[in-house]
């Protein structure tokens, strides 16, 4: 049975990935490692540990203690928070990944799964149906660390045979953790503010179309790639994955079906420039061809599910 360490486990993706991994591989075999934020109650149903990915010895201790063979390395500072503190983003994203890869080499780990992001693209890439293989000139520290991370992962594969894999996520919407640090987080924040106050001030312009995905598809993408036969993969660390694209206006219109008195105002801030540098839609044909990727959730289904889950929790 696999022994999996998940870094950044208390964050947006980790809080939902860990329970799914535990269902598949057994509760005791998936160790959730977090740092500053608190774990959700569901994470406490299995082993949780505290440690900082910037400190190699913290990771080393966990790998030895739990006899880890696979790491899902989620710990990262994402776009908006990264622009507020690029130095911290560089340290966590680069040193954290480097530590994980070096430990993978030292302990001959079986697999490293590390998400990348559409933030690897910048204004020089085609914005519609952006291909997996195209020019990567990001303008954010987050995007730069993700490009470097993809390349480092590929280097460790070709130089040391470490099986490093990753998908480039679009914006992800989810119900378990409140949105904080991303440029695409407006799409979840509107549910929180809308349900509580019936008002939301959006930090992007109404027509800013971005690629997005519901969390269950995001988890499926990472786990499907992690399980794909190595011989089928031509790419490793840099698969575009897509589900839907929408603008603020489009998702707000969908949400108004459930909250007809929702009032929206727009006050674009520094995050608008980040969004403007990203794709409007992604071509994920490489993921489809090499490991059979296909999303299942569309905009109306996602909005209904998110509204039902969050209104049940927030209106208590
Ligand atoms: C962000 O907005 O920074 C993230 C991402 C696209 O990686 N959701």
């Amino acid at each position: 049975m696999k022994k999996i360490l998940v870094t950044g486990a208390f964050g947006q993706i980790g809080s939902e990935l860990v329970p799914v991994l535990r269902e598949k591989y057994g509760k005791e075999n998936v160790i959730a490692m977090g740092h500053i934020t608190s774990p959700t109650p569901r994470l406490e149903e299995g082993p949780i540990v505290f440690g900082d990915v910037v400190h190699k010895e913290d990771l080393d201790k966990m790998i030895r203690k739990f006899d880890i063979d696979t790491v899902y390395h989620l710990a990262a500072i994402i776009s908006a928070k990264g622009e507020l503190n690029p130095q911290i983003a560089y340290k966590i994203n680069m040193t954290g990944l480097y530590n994980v890869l070096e430990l993978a080499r030292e302990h001959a780990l079986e697999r490293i799964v590390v998400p990348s992001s559409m933030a690897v693209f910048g204004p020089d890439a085609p914005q519609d149906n952006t291909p997996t293989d195209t020019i990567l000139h990001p303008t954010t520290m987050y995007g730069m660390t993700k490009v470097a991370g993809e390349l480092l992962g590929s280097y460790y594969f070709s130089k040391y045979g470490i099986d490093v894999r990753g998908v480039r996520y679009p914006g992800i919407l989810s119900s378990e953790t409140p949105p904080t640090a991303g440029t695409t987080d407006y799409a979840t924040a509107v549910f929180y503010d809308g349900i509580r106050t019936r008002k939301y001030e959006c930090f992007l312009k109404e027509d800013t179309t971005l690629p997005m995905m519901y969390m269950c598809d995001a988890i499926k993408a990472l786990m499907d790639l992690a399980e794909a036969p190595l011989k089928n993969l031509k790419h490793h660390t840099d698969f575009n994955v897509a589900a839907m694209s929408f603008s603020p206006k489009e998702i707000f219109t969908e949400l108004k079906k459930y909250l007809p008195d929702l009032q929206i105002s727009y006050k674009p801030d520094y995050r608008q420039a980040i969004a403007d540098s990203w794709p409007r839609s992604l071509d994920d044909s490489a993921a489809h061809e090499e490991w059979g990727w296909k999303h299942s959730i569309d905009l109306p289904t996602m909005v209904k599910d998110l509204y039902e889950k969050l209104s049940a929790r927030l209106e208590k």
Side-chain angles (χ1 to χ4, degrees), residues 12 78-80 116-119 142 169-172 181-185 278:
Q12 188 202 23
I78 61 174
S79 62
S116 185
S117 162
M118 66 167 169
Y142 173 55
Y169 278 135
I172 300 174
T183 303
T184 55
D185 280 358
W278 285 353

mmCIF file of all heavy atoms in Angstrom, residues 12 78-80 116-119 142 169-172 181-185 278, ligand 1:
data_model
loop_
_atom_site.group_PDB
_atom_site.id
_atom_site.type_symbol
_atom_site.label_atom_id
_atom_site.label_comp_id
_atom_site.label_asym_id
_atom_site.label_seq_id
_atom_site.Cartn_x
_atom_site.Cartn_y
_atom_site.Cartn_z
ATOM 1 N N GLN A 12 -6.742 24.992 0.367
ATOM 2 C CA GLN A 12 -7.970 24.797 -0.417
ATOM 3 C C GLN A 12 -8.040 23.398 -1.046
ATOM 4 O O GLN A 12 -9.028 22.689 -0.890
ATOM 5 C CB GLN A 12 -8.049 25.857 -1.527
ATOM 6 C CG GLN A 12 -9.371 25.845 -2.258
ATOM 7 C CD GLN A 12 -9.312 26.465 -3.661
ATOM 8 O OE1 GLN A 12 -8.256 26.541 -4.291
ATOM 9 N NE2 GLN A 12 -10.452 26.911 -4.148
ATOM 10 N N ILE A 78 -0.119 31.451 -3.747
ATOM 11 C CA ILE A 78 -0.670 31.634 -5.098
ATOM 12 C C ILE A 78 -0.670 33.119 -5.508
ATOM 13 O O ILE A 78 -0.087 33.956 -4.837
ATOM 14 C CB ILE A 78 -2.030 30.914 -5.260
ATOM 15 C CG1 ILE A 78 -3.083 31.445 -4.313
ATOM 16 C CG2 ILE A 78 -1.840 29.422 -5.083
ATOM 17 C CD1 ILE A 78 -4.467 30.858 -4.562
ATOM 18 N N SER A 79 -1.352 33.406 -6.636
ATOM 19 C CA SER A 79 -1.067 34.649 -7.368
ATOM 20 C C SER A 79 -1.233 35.961 -6.594
ATOM 21 O O SER A 79 -0.291 36.751 -6.499
ATOM 22 C CB SER A 79 -1.938 34.699 -8.623
ATOM 23 O OG SER A 79 -3.305 34.721 -8.274
ATOM 24 N N ALA A 80 -2.432 36.197 -6.050
ATOM 25 C CA ALA A 80 -2.699 37.523 -5.480
ATOM 26 C C ALA A 80 -1.853 37.744 -4.227
ATOM 27 O O ALA A 80 -1.215 38.788 -4.064
ATOM 28 C CB ALA A 80 -4.185 37.659 -5.167
ATOM 29 N N SER A 116 0.667 22.540 -10.971
ATOM 30 C CA SER A 116 1.086 23.815 -11.523
ATOM 31 C C SER A 116 -0.190 24.637 -11.744
ATOM 32 O O SER A 116 -1.233 24.319 -11.152
ATOM 33 C CB SER A 116 1.863 23.593 -12.820
ATOM 34 O OG SER A 116 2.364 24.817 -13.293
ATOM 35 N N SER A 117 -0.114 25.662 -12.572
ATOM 36 C CA SER A 117 -1.249 26.581 -12.692
ATOM 37 C C SER A 117 -1.244 27.249 -14.060
ATOM 38 O O SER A 117 -0.184 27.395 -14.687
ATOM 39 C CB SER A 117 -1.113 27.649 -11.612
ATOM 40 O OG SER A 117 -1.902 28.774 -11.907
ATOM 41 N N MET A 118 -2.424 27.709 -14.464
ATOM 42 C CA MET A 118 -2.480 28.502 -15.706
ATOM 43 C C MET A 118 -1.698 29.809 -15.543
ATOM 44 O O MET A 118 -1.484 30.525 -16.517
ATOM 45 C CB MET A 118 -3.929 28.804 -16.069
ATOM 46 C CG MET A 118 -4.642 29.707 -15.095
ATOM 47 S SD MET A 118 -6.167 30.289 -15.804
ATOM 48 C CE MET A 118 -6.990 31.028 -14.401
ATOM 49 N N ALA A 119 -1.263 30.102 -14.310
ATOM 50 C CA ALA A 119 -0.442 31.296 -14.065
ATOM 51 C C ALA A 119 0.922 31.206 -14.748
ATOM 52 O O ALA A 119 1.655 32.194 -14.786
ATOM 53 C CB ALA A 119 -0.259 31.516 -12.569
ATOM 54 N N TYR A 142 4.264 34.182 -8.677
ATOM 55 C CA TYR A 142 3.651 32.841 -8.621
ATOM 56 C C TYR A 142 3.847 32.107 -9.950
ATOM 57 O O TYR A 142 4.286 30.954 -9.985
ATOM 58 C CB TYR A 142 2.164 33.020 -8.300
ATOM 59 C CG TYR A 142 1.316 31.778 -8.359
ATOM 60 C CD1 TYR A 142 1.646 30.645 -7.622
ATOM 61 C CD2 TYR A 142 0.141 31.755 -9.121
ATOM 62 C CE1 TYR A 142 0.831 29.511 -7.660
ATOM 63 C CE2 TYR A 142 -0.672 30.640 -9.157
ATOM 64 C CZ TYR A 142 -0.321 29.519 -8.425
ATOM 65 O OH TYR A 142 -1.125 28.413 -8.459
ATOM 66 N N TYR A 169 -3.569 23.898 -13.154
ATOM 67 C CA TYR A 169 -4.957 24.170 -12.792
ATOM 68 C C TYR A 169 -5.437 25.521 -13.305
ATOM 69 O O TYR A 169 -4.691 26.514 -13.262
ATOM 70 C CB TYR A 169 -5.102 24.192 -11.273
ATOM 71 C CG TYR A 169 -5.227 22.849 -10.613
ATOM 72 C CD1 TYR A 169 -4.498 22.556 -9.469
ATOM 73 C CD2 TYR A 169 -6.106 21.883 -11.093
ATOM 74 C CE1 TYR A 169 -4.632 21.330 -8.836
ATOM 75 C CE2 TYR A 169 -6.238 20.653 -10.466
ATOM 76 C CZ TYR A 169 -5.502 20.384 -9.338
ATOM 77 O OH TYR A 169 -5.632 19.183 -8.711
ATOM 78 N N PRO A 170 -6.703 25.577 -13.705
ATOM 79 C CA PRO A 170 -7.374 26.883 -13.868
ATOM 80 C C PRO A 170 -7.804 27.359 -12.474
ATOM 81 O O PRO A 170 -7.370 26.776 -11.473
ATOM 82 C CB PRO A 170 -8.579 26.525 -14.739
ATOM 83 C CG PRO A 170 -8.848 25.085 -14.481
ATOM 84 C CD PRO A 170 -7.556 24.451 -14.028
ATOM 85 N N GLY A 171 -8.639 28.369 -12.353
ATOM 86 C CA GLY A 171 -9.197 28.749 -11.058
ATOM 87 C C GLY A 171 -10.044 27.604 -10.523
ATOM 88 O O GLY A 171 -10.751 26.958 -11.285
ATOM 89 N N ILE A 172 -9.967 27.370 -9.208
ATOM 90 C CA ILE A 172 -10.735 26.261 -8.623
ATOM 91 C C ILE A 172 -11.762 26.820 -7.646
ATOM 92 O O ILE A 172 -11.437 27.674 -6.813
ATOM 93 C CB ILE A 172 -9.802 25.277 -7.888
ATOM 94 C CG1 ILE A 172 -8.782 24.690 -8.862
ATOM 95 C CG2 ILE A 172 -10.599 24.158 -7.227
ATOM 96 C CD1 ILE A 172 -7.737 23.834 -8.193
ATOM 97 N N ALA A 181 -6.494 33.873 -1.380
ATOM 98 C CA ALA A 181 -5.200 34.303 -1.925
ATOM 99 C C ALA A 181 -5.113 34.340 -3.447
ATOM 100 O O ALA A 181 -4.077 34.699 -3.990
ATOM 101 C CB ALA A 181 -4.123 33.376 -1.388
ATOM 102 N N GLY A 182 -6.182 33.975 -4.158
ATOM 103 C CA GLY A 182 -6.080 33.832 -5.609
ATOM 104 C C GLY A 182 -6.794 34.939 -6.374
ATOM 105 O O GLY A 182 -7.680 35.623 -5.840
ATOM 106 N N THR A 183 -6.413 35.093 -7.629
ATOM 107 C CA THR A 183 -7.057 36.057 -8.520
ATOM 108 C C THR A 183 -8.431 35.534 -8.951
ATOM 109 O O THR A 183 -9.343 36.298 -9.246
ATOM 110 C CB THR A 183 -6.151 36.270 -9.752
ATOM 111 O OG1 THR A 183 -4.884 36.697 -9.273
ATOM 112 C CG2 THR A 183 -6.714 37.295 -10.705
ATOM 113 N N THR A 184 -8.583 34.216 -8.991
ATOM 114 C CA THR A 184 -9.857 33.631 -9.400
ATOM 115 C C THR A 184 -10.815 33.464 -8.208
ATOM 116 O O THR A 184 -11.938 32.988 -8.391
ATOM 117 C CB THR A 184 -9.625 32.247 -10.050
ATOM 118 O OG1 THR A 184 -8.895 31.427 -9.129
ATOM 119 C CG2 THR A 184 -8.834 32.366 -11.336
ATOM 120 N N ASP A 185 -10.391 33.882 -7.015
ATOM 121 C CA ASP A 185 -11.184 33.624 -5.808
ATOM 122 C C ASP A 185 -12.480 34.427 -5.720
ATOM 123 O O ASP A 185 -13.343 34.126 -4.896
ATOM 124 C CB ASP A 185 -10.346 33.905 -4.553
ATOM 125 C CG ASP A 185 -9.406 32.747 -4.244
ATOM 126 O OD1 ASP A 185 -9.440 31.747 -4.973
ATOM 127 O OD2 ASP A 185 -8.638 32.861 -3.271
ATOM 128 N N TRP A 278 -3.679 36.308 -18.154
ATOM 129 C CA TRP A 278 -3.923 34.863 -18.185
ATOM 130 C C TRP A 278 -4.828 34.465 -19.363
ATOM 131 O O TRP A 278 -5.551 35.301 -19.921
ATOM 132 C CB TRP A 278 -4.595 34.421 -16.877
ATOM 133 C CG TRP A 278 -3.649 34.374 -15.709
ATOM 134 C CD1 TRP A 278 -2.292 34.539 -15.733
ATOM 135 C CD2 TRP A 278 -4.006 34.155 -14.341
ATOM 136 N NE1 TRP A 278 -1.786 34.426 -14.455
ATOM 137 C CE2 TRP A 278 -2.805 34.194 -13.581
ATOM 138 C CE3 TRP A 278 -5.211 33.934 -13.673
ATOM 139 C CZ2 TRP A 278 -2.787 34.003 -12.201
ATOM 140 C CZ3 TRP A 278 -5.191 33.742 -12.292
ATOM 141 C CH2 TRP A 278 -3.993 33.780 -11.573
HETATM 142 C C1 LIG B 1 -4.960 31.866 -8.477
HETATM 143 O O1 LIG B 1 -5.937 32.575 -8.740
HETATM 144 O O2 LIG B 1 -3.855 32.291 -8.162
HETATM 145 C C2 LIG B 1 -5.107 30.366 -8.573
HETATM 146 C C3 LIG B 1 -4.515 29.827 -9.828
HETATM 147 C C4 LIG B 1 -5.116 30.149 -11.115
HETATM 148 O O3 LIG B 1 -3.556 29.102 -9.773
HETATM 149 N N1 LIG B 1 -6.474 29.996 -8.470
#
